[in-house]
């Protein structure tokens, strides 16, 4: 069986020790590093299958965010989006990526990625961004308000609100923790078709710190680097219509729809790898074993 060779380190940040994992080739000034940021309730292992596809030809970095996996938070640590961006900036400072970084985010990792590429500290360091199933929060807010004001588009808004029911549920005290421990974990594993990568209870702080909390996301600015948004058409949480209007935020935007659900990238790692590196389409698919 193929084993993904892993080099790991810990990057200290303000409020957390971030676990960082490297795979594949050594860093090169002539080729960018691909950096992966997972969502909730996953950790970096959600990307293992695609990392195996890419490791023979790329330098790869994957991060456990401050709420997940092997990362640890310190006393008084917060979970606001601004603090999550600070973590990624510190990781960028710590890793060796002389050819620049291609950032890839899924779910909350995608939300974190959107805010990171709009942070001036990442200018000239992140050369492009791939987003899967996680919107820019300011774009999401604008998108929703516009549709609630337009009678013809209200059904889109209502549809997304219904998809996002869990965000409100996660604000309740005690109840979400009990649900995760009494059966929701098993339901997630059946839906995602794999074991939970991290303790889901730890990640509830993401929703409580950033949704309905009065804390707004970091400032927004127009994105000049290329952005590729991959849209799984069967995602139960994110409407495919959320890409509408993104051209107001992104100068160089590519949107690709794929016939899968929220964890499409884990279920179809070869297809995902080929979107990240189209040259792989010319190579035979690897057979592990």
């Amino acid at each position: 069986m193929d084993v993904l060779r892993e080099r790991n380190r810990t990057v200290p940040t303000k409020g957390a020790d971030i676990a960082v994992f490297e795979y594949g080739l050594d860093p090169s000034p002539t080729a960018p590093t691909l950096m992966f940021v997972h969502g909730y309730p996953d950790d970096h292992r959600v990307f293992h299958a695609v990392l195996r596809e890419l490791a023979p030809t790329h330098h790869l970095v994957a991060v456990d965010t401050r709420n997940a996996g092997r990362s640890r938070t310190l006393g008084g640590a917060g979970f606001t989006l601004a603090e999550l961006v600070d973590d990624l900036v510190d990781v960028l400072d710590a890793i060796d990526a002389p050819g620049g970084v291609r950032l890839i985010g899924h779910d909350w990792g995608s939300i974190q990625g959107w805010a990171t590429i709009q942070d001036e500290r990442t200018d000239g360091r992140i050369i492009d961004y791939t987003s899967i199933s996680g919107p820019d929060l300011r774009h999401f807010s604008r998108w929703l308000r516009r549709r609630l004001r337009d009678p013809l588009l209200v059904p889109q808004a209502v549809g997304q609100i219904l998809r996002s029911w869990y965000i409100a549920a996660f604000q309740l005290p005690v109840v979400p923790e009990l649900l995760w421990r009494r059966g929701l974990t098993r339901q997630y594993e059946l839906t995602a078709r794999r074991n939970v990568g991290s303790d889901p209870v730890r990640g509830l702080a993401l929703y409580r710190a950033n949704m309905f909390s009065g804390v707004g996301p970091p400032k927004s600015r127009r994105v000049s680097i290329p952005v590729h948004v991959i849209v799984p058409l069967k995602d139960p949480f994110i409407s495919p219509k959320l890409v509408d209007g993104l051209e107001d935020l992104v100068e160089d935007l590519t949107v690709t729809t794929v016939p899968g659900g929220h964890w499409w990238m884990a279920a179809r790692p070869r297809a995902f790898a080929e979107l990240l590196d189209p040259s792989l389409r010319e190579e035979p698919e690897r057979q592990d074993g």
Side-chain angles (χ1 to χ4, degrees):
M1 178 177 291
D2 177 67
V3 176
L4 188 62
R5 297 185 182 277
E6 179 179 279
R7 291 107 55 196
N8 61 77
R9 71 172 84 179
T10 298
V11 175
T13 71
K14 186 178 180 180
D17 290 329
I18 302 298
V20 178
F21 308 85
E22 294 186 64
Y23 309 88
L25 302 181
D26 291 333
S28 168
T30 61
T33 292
L34 277 65
M35 188 164 89
F36 295 79
V37 187
H38 67 86
Y40 176 80
D42 299 306
D43 62 22
H44 78 282
R45 290 174 293 176
V46 74
F47 292 115
H48 268 186
V50 72
L51 293 172
R52 287 190 178 93
E53 297 288 345
L54 294 166
T57 52
H58 295 78
H59 176 232
L60 308 170
V61 173
V63 177
D64 276 349
T65 64
R66 67 167 51 195
N67 66 310
R70 297 189 209 171
S71 291
R72 292 293 178 265
T73 54
L74 309 177
F79 294 89
T80 65
L81 188 52
E83 289 167 306
L84 300 179
V85 171
D86 288 344
D87 288 346
L88 286 191
V89 171
D90 286 339
V91 171
L92 288 171
D93 289 340
I95 65 172
D96 186 12
V101 168
R102 300 182 62 200
L103 183 63
I104 300 103
H106 174 251
D107 188 83
W108 258 100
S110 178
I111 294 173
Q112 190 172 344
W114 278 110
T116 300
I117 63 173
Q118 294 174 71
D119 190 294
E120 295 176 354
R121 293 172 293 176
T122 66
D123 288 353
R125 306 169 75 180
I126 297 176
I127 61 176
D128 66 34
Y129 177 50
T130 299
S131 165
I132 315 147
S133 296
D136 174 81
L137 289 188
R138 289 193 184 277
H139 167 75
F140 178 87
S141 179
R142 290 191 297 267
W143 182 93
L144 195 61
R145 290 197 305 269
R146 288 171 183 170
R147 276 146 186 80
L148 289 173
R149 291 195 299 262
D150 186 338
L152 296 178
L153 297 178
V154 164
Q156 290 185 19
V158 172
Q160 180 56 57
I161 290 170
L162 292 175
R163 289 171 186 256
S164 302
W165 63 269
Y166 61 94
I167 296 177
F170 285 168
Q171 308 302 315
L172 298 172
V174 181
V175 174
E177 286 86 344
L178 288 175
L179 288 176
W180 275 115
R181 288 168 176 153
R182 299 288 179 87
L184 192 56
T185 296
R186 179 58 178 161
Q187 184 61 45
Y188 162 83
E189 291 175 340
L190 291 172
T191 301
R193 298 183 180 180
R194 70 178 168 281
N195 293 334
V196 172
S198 200
D199 177 8
V201 171
R202 290 171 62 187
L204 291 171
L206 288 171
Y207 295 90
R208 292 168 177 169
N210 295 284
M211 307 294 184
F212 312 116
S213 65
V215 177
K219 66 179 181 179
S220 178
R221 62 173 179 148
R222 190 160 172 79
V223 176
S224 58
I225 63 172
V227 174
H228 186 184
V229 179
I230 299 173
V231 181
L233 294 176
K234 297 180 181 179
D235 193 327
F237 309 117
I238 304 292
S239 168
K241 294 292 186 181
L242 266 174
V243 298
D244 293 349
L246 264 180
E247 61 276 5
D248 295 336
L249 175 64
V250 180
E251 293 177 10
D252 184 356
L253 176 67
T254 300
V255 176
T256 301
T257 58
V258 293
H262 189 72
W263 287 277
W264 170 85
M265 84 293 176
R268 297 290 306 278
R270 180 66 182 193
F272 182 32
E274 290 175 355
L275 285 179
L276 295 173
D277 181 359
S279 70
L280 292 177
R281 295 173 185 153
E282 301 171 4
E283 300 177 5
E285 186 169 350
R286 297 186 318 108
Q287 297 295 325
D288 294 339

